[in-house]
Amino acid sequence: MEIATLIGGIGIFLLGMTLLTDTLKKWAGMRLRHRLNQFTDGSLSGATLGATLTALFQSSTVTTLMTIGFVSAGLITFAQSLPLVIGANVGSATTGWIIAVLGYNLDVRQLFLPLIGIGMAFRLSSSRFRRFGLLLVSIGLIFVGIGTLQEAMRDVVTFSFESIDTMTFFQQALLISIGLGMTAVLQSSTIGLVLTMTALATEAISLPQAAFLILGQSAGTSLVVALGSLGGWKSARRIVLAHAIYHVSIVIVGWVTFPVLFSVVNRVADLFDWNELLRLALFHTTFHVLGVLLFLPFHKKFAKRLLQWIPSRSEKLIHFLDPNMSRLPTVALEAARRSLLEIERYLGRETELLIRAGRLREDELALVDKTLGDVRVFLSTIRLEDDGKQNDYGRHLSLLHTIDHLERWLYVLREVEPVHSLRDTDFIAARELVLHELSLVRQLTHHTPPEDSKMWKQTSKQLAEYRKAHRSELLEETAAKQLAMDQTIQKVQVLLWLDRIGYHIWRATRHLIKPTVSSERFEVNRED
């Protein structure tokens, strides 16, 4: 029965943590995104924000995974994300202090069980207090779970290790490995900390042994973060690698300096006559604060090195996108527009390389194809709101037009055959017109005024007129036997190819910098 109680306690605790995390994400998530840059301008403020988020969510893993989302959305840079990840570990110490202050002999379930009933009353009373009610329920469930774990651990934990005086290097490594395994299996270092403090309170383990378990649990969070970010972009892999390097490093530092660190903690605790639970909470906090002090001053150099180790191409094109933006249509549409602008400039460089040097790089075109698909999927998740619907609808429609023309542009690029036919000297003027359009694409910015779209329109119309005139000349030369039929077909195809490229460059750019408004929807459709 004790094992069943233990499993049930873990389940209640995890349910409370999940509910708390979901509630706080919905409650404060959007407000937080708007102020992220303000909080992450400095390394200390970023670390403080990371610690605060972890204290709220009761999980450094959740904070790290949220940070990955922030970086992927382009809301903060990778360098700004590292202080959040580093500071998150300090916030994880709050659970230990709560348990230590309340004491092991006090049944926390009796204190926090009423919160579940009060929270549900708020939850059912009105929609205005729904989230507040869920917040109370989640806090109540967390501490009911902790109380259940404490009760079960009294009978379940029967193991013991030798004291620190006789503990060998192998035994210390074993304890760290057990701590790592606890976090990996339970998917939470917080549960591992609760179990460790319960084992310490029941005298199943000594204080030094509990401290080594905590070292291992800290390293185990890297496995949990890695599993939680599987399939993510390179920004996610960079943060996972940074998280792993940081935790492995501080565990090694904590292990090497353990005699000194443990002695300092005990001397401070002796001044206040603290019990072993408070001493363990102090060790846990001191250990993580030491890690922050060691890494925080060098986080920018650390970030620069990681960017060199894990470079990314596609991420540069769509790093503005974040699925969590879908509830803010205006912000999400602007993020999609900026991504498409990056993609158009990238495609423009490939087109220029093809026209000037005759090089068609299929892997680069495949990258563009993939990122366009990513933007299309992102746009499908945006929920248009009733207020401001006309403007948002127009912007959404324009972005779909942009994707359509970029995909056609990409399709035309792949049609050219053979590539050397683009160097036909008969069409130097047409080539120069296309290259002029591409040079304008290189100058595109997020703030290019809508009226500038006339420059692309004018060039595209010149191309169309050139194509009509020279197509007629080619057909006349063929009829007069001055040009072979196969040469005529090849020249006409090149001429059409240049004209189509120029047209799709104009139309993609037009929709990108001059969004459709409701009144001109049908006019724009007729133009296309």
Side-chain angles (χ1 to χ4, degrees), residues 325-330 332-333 336 377-384 396 399:
M325 286 182 180
S326 59
R327 297 183 183 182
L328 291 174
T330 303
L333 290 170
V377 171
F378 176 78
L379 285 174
S380 69
T381 67
I382 298 176
R383 305 172 187 175
L384 296 179
H396 191 273
L399 294 178

Side-chain angles (χ1 to χ4, degrees), residues 324-360:
N324 294 318
M325 286 182 180
S326 59
R327 297 183 183 182
L328 291 174
T330 303
V331 177
L333 290 170
E334 177 60 21
R337 190 183 78 88
R338 293 189 176 204
S339 296
L340 289 174
L341 192 147
E342 297 292 332
I343 294 171
E344 180 172 347
R345 287 199 297 231
Y346 195 89
L347 185 57
R349 289 194 294 270
E350 290 304 310
T351 306
E352 189 170 353
L353 181 66
L354 175 59
I355 294 174
R356 290 189 184 277
R359 292 179 58 193
L360 183 65

